[in-house]
Amino acid sequence: ESAGRARLAENITISDSDNRNLTEATMTVIGAERGDELSVNSVRDVTIEVLEQTGLFVLKIVGSAAKEVYATVLSSVEFQTTLGRPNKLSSKERYVTTTVTDGLLESNVIQVNV
């Protein structure tokens, strides 16, 4: 039984005053449990890789592409757990951090809890 999918970040806007393109983004889910799943829509302009480790998902987006491409990919990331606990994702909170870079400077870390 699934608790349903949740978008981790919707309607993202990325701004960078000195560069039109980004080169990399990293989204990390800390506190993942057995039964947790991460999905993302791919686009042709960047490479997307999801690494799974105990208690951790790391989503890497790599490639020189417009900020809007990165925003589209990050906005498509969904989290779901199949632990069978209806009405809540789990008894354990997850932390999601996201950073982007234009190859020169890295953004501030954005953190949300799910």
Side-chain angles (χ1 to χ4, degrees), residues 16 76 97:
D16 184 339
S76 77
T97 62

Side-chain angles (χ1 to χ4, degrees), residues 6 11-12 18-19 23 30 35 39-40 48 52 60 63-65 78 80 84 92 95 102 114:
N11 303 318
I12 292 177
D18 66 345
N19 203 329
T23 59
I30 302 163
S39 63
V40 61
I48 300 170
E52 294 181 46
K60 287 269 212 203
S64 182
E78 292 183 325
Q80 121 171 334
K92 183 178 179 182
Y95 304 93
D102 61 8
V114 290

